[in-house]
Amino acid sequence: MDTGEAKNKKPGMSLKEKAYDYLVNEILGGKLKPGDRISEAKLAKEFGISRTPVRAAMQELANGGILESRINCNTTVAQWNDEKILQLEIVRTDLENLAAKLAIIYGSNNDFREMHIHSEACYKASLNNDICTLLKEDVAFHMEIARIAKNDQIYKFMDEIHKQNRFLLCWRKDFLIPGDKQYRQHEEIIESFVARDENRVLRLLTHHNRHSFKVNDDMDYFTKEFFLRGVPLEEE
């Protein structure tokens, strides 16, 4: 493994942070795939550091559901089944809808227009087939909603969920929205925020966030009855 980049980036980072960033980049870059074993001792040797910061980095990733670590067993990149994916997307969708409601209250039009930066960066990355940048900018787009909501707890939980979502999308690329469609949806979401149209924002976000709902044929019903309960429907 080439750990040179992780060793040299951001000199102020701790050894644990460098090991964490290295593992995240290897996973999101597709070099480490679900089920692959990660050796704490081997990684520490290649970094030329003790196992303690490596262990701490791996534990943080395990706490976030990205690694699976069992007592007296190997640590591996997590493998998620449909139930786990669905649980993630249910929480993500409902939490982001809550953040959106608060963002409409606290956000300025300039706040919402800042989201164009990430929307355009996503589209550019899709044209270049740069999946890592696309996922990074898509997370930044959605985390802007959490930032504008001005609620530290929502921001914290959404940050954790989007880390997991990036992991999901890096190996389940069949969940990725085509670049032109994603760009159009992002722009429609921004326009609805600027217009302060809460019902439309919730409809657009719920539809946009349904990456994993294809795992169950009843998700159209579920979406309407759960996420959009009480929100007037508009014709497609």
Side-chain angles (χ1 to χ4, degrees):
M1 289 185 285
D2 180 10
T3 59
E5 181 180 352
K7 287 179 180 177
N8 296 325
K9 67 188 291 189
K10 299 180 183 177
M13 294 174 69
S14 69
L15 294 176
K16 177 251 185 180
E17 289 170 333
K18 290 180 180 180
Y20 178 93
D21 272 13
Y22 170 75
L23 287 170
V24 168
N25 289 334
E26 290 290 285
I27 293 169
L28 295 182
K31 295 180 181 179
L32 287 172
K33 296 178 172 58
D36 284 355
R37 179 176 177 269
I38 299 175
S39 170
E40 176 186 303
K42 183 179 179 181
L43 190 57
K45 182 177 179 180
E46 293 191 12
F47 268 92
I49 60 178
S50 73
R51 294 171 63 166
T52 301
V54 174
R55 185 181 304 121
M58 292 172 64
Q59 185 60 54
E60 184 172 340
L61 287 167
N63 291 342
I66 295 173
L67 297 183
E68 293 179 344
S69 182
R70 298 180 179 86
I71 297 176
N72 299 323
C73 293
N74 295 329
T75 297
T76 60
V77 180
Q79 300 182 81
W80 294 354
N81 57 24
D82 285 351
E83 181 180 0
K84 166 69 175 180
I85 295 170
L86 184 57
Q87 289 175 2
L88 173 67
E89 290 301 320
I90 287 172
V91 173
R92 177 195 176 187
T93 301
D94 215 29
L95 188 60
E96 189 157 67
N97 282 355
L98 175 59
K101 292 179 180 181
L102 292 173
I104 288 172
I105 296 171
Y106 294 114
S108 68
N109 287 349
N110 285 336
D111 284 329
F112 299 132
R113 291 187 180 113
E114 284 291 311
M115 296 169 67
H116 285 298
I117 296 172
H118 303 296
S119 175
E120 291 167 2
C122 279
Y123 184 58
K124 182 179 179 180
S126 73
L127 293 177
N128 295 327
N129 199 30
D130 183 352
I131 302 301
C132 284
T133 299
L134 186 153
L135 294 178
K136 178 182 177 182
E137 292 297 334
D138 184 56
V139 168
F141 177 90
H142 290 276
M143 289 306 297
E144 276 295 293
I145 299 173
R147 181 188 65 80
I148 297 168
K150 301 185 186 304
N151 185 297
D152 291 343
Q153 292 303 308
I154 288 178
Y155 190 94
K156 174 183 175 182
F157 292 134
M158 280 186 62
D159 183 53
E160 191 64 40
I161 287 170
H162 277 290
K163 286 178 183 176
Q164 295 186 41
N165 198 60
R166 280 181 70 191
F167 167 67
L168 167 66
L169 294 178
C170 82
W171 62 273
R172 285 300 301 268
K173 293 183 175 62
D174 54 313
F175 288 168
L176 287 172
I177 302 173
D180 56 343
K181 183 177 181 180
Q182 181 191 51
Y183 178 72
R184 185 171 64 253
Q185 290 181 0
H186 280 169
E187 293 299 302
E188 289 175 346
I189 289 167
I190 296 169
E191 290 170 7
S192 298
F193 271 122
V194 171
R196 300 297 195 281
D197 188 340
E198 180 180 300
N199 289 337
R200 190 158 192 263
V201 167
L202 297 182
R203 281 194 298 268
L204 290 171
L205 275 176
T206 298
H207 177 72
H208 178 70
N209 285 334
R210 290 174 62 215
H211 296 300
S212 71
F213 289 175
K214 64 183 72 175
V215 301
N216 187 315
D217 291 338
D218 293 331
M219 281 301 105
D220 280 335
Y221 171 81
F222 182 80
T223 300
K224 292 175 183 176
E225 292 300 310
F226 186 77
F227 294 119
L228 298 179
R229 183 184 295 274
V231 175
L233 298 177
E234 65 180 13
E235 295 183 2
E236 297 287 342

